[in-house]
Amino acid sequence: MTTMQMATERQSGTAGTAGTGRTAVGAALLAGPVLMAGYGAVRLAGRALGDYGPGVWWSLAHLLFLAGVLAFVPVFLGLRKLAGERGGRRVAVDVAAGVGLLGTVAVVVQAVIDLAAGFVAADKEAMSEIFDRVQGVPGVMPLVYTVVPMLFWLGLLGLVTLLAFFRRDVVRAWVPVMVLAGTVLMAVSLDLLPVGALCLGLALMPVRRGLSA
């Protein structure tokens, strides 16, 4: 095999790996909002039936939520690569992605606690007692429920905002606005989760197309 052939094969392998990575990120950009919308829809259905506590509706909803949050891990890791390899823009994007990933860890822990409580508790009262004990542990509230989980949303918003400046060919100027709208809707009320997730999906869809272009 000649040197030129070897170089060509290495370039083809690198291009194939990059293409696979873009495909995975594109799939995650679609799956994340869809799974979160599913969580919101199942939650509403369970509440409408008066059976949203320990049981099938609670477990299914939180499994969807957990899967939706985990889908954003490749999103954060993939979008950070759009800023290039070096320079101040890469540092800024890395910080935003790191903030988002830190928040992701907290939200995942929260979802796991919710799932475990729903599995162990016999009824809503018992589940409430479990939450009271867990949240009564010093540091748990800010780390898992109030402060650190917000970094997930702040990191996502910061990441798409930076990329809207640095990579306008992939992230349009209106994308951060839609991400912000979705975040605010979900923060106002969990009942608005499907609508907020729809905003996220509409915002990230053109990003997905840009990655595959």
Side-chain angles (χ1 to χ4, degrees), residues 64-150:
L64 289 170
F65 180 58
L66 177 60
V69 173
L70 289 174
F72 278 90
V73 172
V75 170
F76 285 121
L77 295 176
L79 293 185
R80 63 184 284 272
K81 297 179 181 178
L82 294 177
E85 295 299 326
R86 299 182 182 85
R89 64 171 60 183
R90 180 56 186 264
V91 173
V93 168
D94 279 350
V95 169
V99 167
L101 288 170
L102 180 60
T104 301
V105 173
V107 178
V108 166
V109 172
Q110 182 183 140
V112 170
I113 291 172
D114 290 348
L115 278 168
F119 180 76
V120 172
D123 51 35
K124 291 183 180 180
E125 183 178 349
M127 190 167 66
S128 179
E129 291 176 359
I130 292 173
F131 286 138
D132 287 342
R133 288 200 299 270
V134 171
Q135 294 171 6
V137 176
V140 167
M141 281 301 291
L143 288 175
V144 179
Y145 287 96
T146 56
V147 179
V148 180
M150 290 303 299

Side-chain angles (χ1 to χ4, degrees), residues 4-101:
M4 182 174 294
Q5 288 173 324
M6 292 173 64
T8 300
E9 286 196 2
R10 283 197 297 269
Q11 290 174 352
S12 298
T14 302
T17 302
T20 302
R22 286 195 297 269
T23 301
V25 175
L29 284 165
L30 176 63
V34 168
L35 289 165
M36 286 188 173
Y39 161 53
V42 171
R43 177 183 176 275
L44 287 174
R47 287 170 62 86
L49 294 172
D51 189 31
Y52 191 66
V56 174
W57 292 103
W58 176 274
S59 296
L60 178 57
H62 285 82
L63 282 172
L64 289 170
F65 180 58
L66 177 60
V69 173
L70 289 174
F72 278 90
V73 172
V75 170
F76 285 121
L77 295 176
L79 293 185
R80 63 184 284 272
K81 297 179 181 178
L82 294 177
E85 295 299 326
R86 299 182 182 85
R89 64 171 60 183
R90 180 56 186 264
V91 173
V93 168
D94 279 350
V95 169
V99 167
L101 288 170

